[in-house]
Amino acid sequence: SRVPRPQRDSMGKKAVAKAFGVAFEPGPMGPMVDAAVDRALSLAFGPGARPALAIFFHHALLALSVCLLIFVLSKLLSPRLFRKALSKLEPFERKIWHTNMVTFFPAFAVTYYAWPAIVAYDGAKYDFLHPASVDTLKGCGMSLGYMFWDLVVLLADPKDQMKAYGGLSPYVLFLFHHTLSLLAWPYAVSAGRCTYFVNYFLVSEVTNANLSLRWFLMKSTNAGEASLAYFINGIVWIPLFFAVRVCVIPELVDRYVNGDWSKLGPIETYAARFLLPVPVALNVYWFGLIVTTAYGALFGKESKKESKKKR
């Protein structure tokens, strides 16, 4: 007769999870995905439970699946629901419409986990070492699942994506942004390194909802950039961006400059010194662009089109 396979020691797995400072819980996509993730981690790193990485990858796979679902639904439903708006778009913009629909998802899903992680964070102020909370692991997984999706989109359609992003430079910038995040963040959250910084980088995703909505309002409304909805979205976006991405910079810089670097290994130190300032610098740069554009729209010279109308 066939000998039954031994059951996994769930109590042992719970004990390992507790030792890592995270809660053991089933993954969001069911036991089959749980088993597949655990098997992949064992093949990559050897036998043993790795609850932090398991939680992270479960949610990365969930985010990737949701991104694909939203994209497919947009392809199926948008031509029926937004026929008039799509008819006004350039051919490449019709493709961008569907990929941009996906961008709303991380703005809310990642923030849902990142904000509680910030509120509950209790690490010492200048200590780079602190275990990632379950919310941090989930939020980071969701964020990087989306970034992996977006990186595939960028690489699969470079010509039209460059047009959408406004040229080669911003396109390459986002390639580097996504790639560096995908390389660094899984290690940071699973090893409990720089999690305070990661939490704030994650919660900044919420401002992307306004950015995505801006594109749809500009492309799908008759008035475009002159519409009231476009104006209101911009007015809301500026203080939100400032509060979430800019106001925290002095605190992040203080922790970076005065942090206890001795607790990090040599490679960790080099990586953190190089990578942690990058999101801060990008946020300063992007906020400058937002303010400059808003100032030009409110107080700048009238456009050539409006000037011709008056004549």
Side-chain angles (χ1 to χ4, degrees):
S1 62
R2 186 177 178 183
V3 178
R5 296 178 62 184
Q7 296 294 314
R8 167 169 283 174
D9 180 6
S10 61
M11 291 304 295
K13 194 171 181 181
K14 289 181 180 180
V16 173
K18 185 176 181 181
F20 275 81
V22 299
F24 170 75
E25 58 182 68
M29 300 182 72
M32 289 184 64
V33 176
D34 284 1
V37 169
D38 289 346
R39 195 177 302 116
L41 291 175
S42 295
L43 288 172
F45 303 108
R50 294 174 177 82
L53 276 176
I55 293 171
F56 168 83
F57 279 110
H58 285 310
H59 287 78
L61 288 173
L62 174 62
L64 190 58
S65 301
V66 173
C67 288
L68 179 59
L69 176 62
I70 294 172
F71 178 78
V72 171
L73 288 175
S74 180
K75 293 276 285 186
L76 293 173
L77 299 178
S78 290
R80 294 172 175 81
L81 299 176
F82 307 105
R83 185 188 304 274
K84 186 177 180 181
L86 286 169
S87 66
K88 301 175 183 177
L89 301 181
E90 299 288 337
F92 87 92
E93 290 176 330
R94 293 184 194 125
K95 290 194 292 184
I96 301 301
W97 175 285
H98 304 302
T99 55
N100 275 0
M101 277 290 183
V102 179
T103 61
F104 287 103
F105 163 68
F108 299 104
V110 175
T111 306
Y112 176 81
Y113 292 114
W115 178 247
I118 289 173
V119 173
Y121 185 86
D122 59 356
K125 182 169 183 178
Y126 296 115
D127 195 346
F128 288 109
L129 275 58
H130 190 271
S133 68
V134 174
D135 283 326
T136 298
L137 293 167
K138 291 178 179 179
C140 191
M142 298 290 266
S143 179
L144 293 194
Y146 163 73
M147 284 193 198
F148 181 79
W149 160 269
D150 201 44
L151 184 61
V152 171
V153 170
L154 289 169
L155 294 173
D157 189 19
K159 183 179 178 181
D160 288 341
Q161 288 295 318
M162 280 185 210
K163 291 180 184 177
Y165 277 94
L168 178 62
S169 295
Y171 172 81
V172 172
L173 178 64
F174 273 90
L175 286 179
F176 276 104
H177 173 273
H178 289 7
T179 302
L180 291 175
S181 298
L182 286 164
L183 291 174
W185 286 14
Y187 175 79
V189 297
S190 63
R193 302 295 191 267
C194 307
T195 52
Y196 180 86
F197 294 85
V198 173
N199 285 337
Y200 275 100
F201 298 154
L202 289 174
V203 83
S204 66
E205 287 280 356
V206 70
T207 62
N208 289 339
N210 297 85
L211 180 63
S212 300
L213 183 59
R214 174 180 179 271
W215 186 89
F216 282 101
L217 292 173
M218 182 169 57
K219 297 295 182 180
S220 63
T221 59
N222 291 327
E225 295 180 43
S227 69
L228 178 61
Y230 183 91
F231 176 78
I232 293 173
N233 180 66
I235 292 299
V236 172
W237 187 28
I238 294 173
L240 178 63
F241 194 102
F242 181 77
V244 174
R245 292 181 180 248
V246 179
C247 276
V248 299
I249 289 177
E251 179 66 17
L252 296 178
V253 171
D254 179 40
R255 288 175 181 256
Y256 176 86
V257 173
N258 298 307
D260 185 1
W261 293 92
S262 65
K263 293 186 178 181
L264 297 177
I267 296 177
E268 292 173 338
T269 300
Y270 290 132
R273 285 193 182 278
F274 170 69
L275 294 175
L276 289 178
V278 173
V280 173
L282 287 175
N283 287 335
V284 172
Y285 170 71
W286 285 330
F287 187 68
L289 289 180
I290 292 170
V291 171
T292 301
T293 303
Y295 183 85
L298 292 172
F299 307 109
K301 294 179 180 179
E302 61 186 359
S303 66
K304 292 180 180 179
K305 187 176 181 181
E306 291 297 323
S307 180
K308 288 180 179 178
K309 283 182 180 179
K310 289 184 179 180
R311 291 175 189 174

